[in-house]
Amino acid sequence: SITANDLLLAGITGRLETTTVDVVCSNLQNNGAITHNGECTSLRLAGIVSYHSAGSFTNCSNSKPISISSTGSVKTNLYLAGLFGGTVTAKTLDECHNTGTISVNSTFTMTGIAYLSGVAVTVSGKLADVPSVTDCSNRGAISFEGVTNETHTASSSGNNERVCLGGVFNGA
């Protein structure tokens, strides 16, 4: 069990961020389950990278479950994806595939928005921030059960607390 403020868990790296180098990642595979059971302020779980702000990704895959099984709380947003849990910008996602399940099955309480996706979740909500997405697929089940919201009112950004599920891609 881990208790943290902002938690980034991934099979390859938790955070990949650069503004000066063009990062190219290829042939990355996650073959281990990524599971969280604890409390945190915000949470990002992914098979490859849980947060990244640059780069091109080719022929990346995840074959194991990405899951939360907790009785704690998540204070803001929750991001779970088979490969990329919080994409700010990326040049390309090409031939990226997920066959692992993406699941939240808990009794924890959250006050933000949950984003679950087979391949990638974009933080900006704009597909334009990932201009090239080709030949990507999800064959893993995505499920969300047992979570309650502390409030059901609009947040300061005007968004209602909600759950967003996407088979391949999901925008925050």
Side-chain angles (χ1 to χ4, degrees), residues 4-148:
N5 286 332
D6 294 312
L7 187 59
L8 306 170
L9 292 175
I12 304 296
T13 186
R15 187 178 187 110
L16 174 64
E17 186 170 17
T18 179
T19 58
T20 59
V21 177
D22 189 17
V23 177
V24 177
C25 299
S26 60
N27 301 317
L28 300 175
Q29 295 181 347
N30 177 54
N31 295 310
I34 309 294
T35 302
H36 175 67
N37 184 11
E39 293 190 27
C40 61
T41 301
S42 69
L43 179 61
R44 297 168 199 258
L45 274 69
I48 303 294
V49 181
S50 59
Y51 176 87
H52 72 89
S53 65
S56 297
F57 298 88
T58 301
N59 195 31
C60 297
S61 64
N62 173 61
S63 62
K64 298 298 180 182
I66 310 296
S67 63
I68 295 176
S69 178
S70 176
T71 58
S73 67
V74 176
K75 300 297 183 193
T76 58
N77 294 338
L78 170 68
Y79 305 87
L80 272 78
L83 281 82
F84 310 106
T87 301
V88 177
T89 60
K91 288 190 175 185
T92 62
L93 298 179
D94 185 32
E95 296 183 32
C96 294
H97 307 285
N98 177 59
T99 57
T101 59
I102 311 299
S103 64
V104 175
N105 188 355
S106 301
T107 57
F108 72 81
T109 302
M110 65 178 231
T111 58
I113 303 170
Y115 303 95
L116 286 74
S117 177
V119 174
V121 173
T122 178
V123 175
S124 70
K126 300 174 187 172
L127 187 55
D129 286 342
V130 186
S132 177
V133 178
T134 56
D135 297 324
C136 295
S137 68
N138 175 53
R139 294 185 200 265
I142 301 173
S143 63
F144 190 89
E145 298 177 32
V147 178
T148 60

